[in-house]
Amino acid sequence: MEKRYSNFYGLIFNCPVESELHTCAFYQIRLLPSKERIAFFNAMTEKEKKERIEKHQSCISHREVETLLHKIALK
């Protein structure tokens, strides 16, 4: 049975860090009209969804560390 990916629909609309990168795994999807984004995401295989979500999680982790280090450097 396919896992539920509905928790990740928000990623097709915006980046949680606010300033998305052009290298983002969801960047190209966000260029589509809203209704097409949902259809595109729903049509992806479980493997494709998993790969994009893993790239997203890696990016977020990296960017959080960069932000934290930047704040420490400003002190």
Side-chain angles (χ1 to χ4, degrees):
M1 186 165 127
E2 183 175 326
K3 293 181 182 181
R4 301 260 178 208
Y5 288 98
S6 58
N7 292 343
F8 297 98
Y9 278 121
L11 296 175
I12 65 175
F13 293 100
N14 63 23
C15 173
V17 182
E18 298 301 323
S19 57
E20 74 179 345
L21 303 174
H22 294 298
T23 57
C24 172
F26 291 89
Y27 179 77
Q28 293 297 320
I29 297 172
R30 291 184 194 129
L31 297 176
L32 299 171
S34 295
K35 288 182 181 180
E36 289 180 35
R37 295 176 200 187
I38 294 168
F40 184 90
F41 189 76
N42 286 340
M44 291 169 59
T45 66
E46 182 173 351
K47 181 182 177 193
E48 291 170 324
K49 291 175 186 174
K50 184 178 180 216
E51 287 172 352
R52 285 185 192 242
I53 290 166
E54 286 173 354
K55 286 179 184 177
H56 161 73
Q57 291 171 331
S58 175
C59 178
I60 290 292
S61 295
H62 179 73
R63 292 179 78 186
E64 285 176 344
V65 168
E66 282 182 347
T67 302
L68 179 61
L69 292 176
H70 178 72
K71 287 181 181 178
I72 292 170
L74 291 176
K75 288 184 177 182

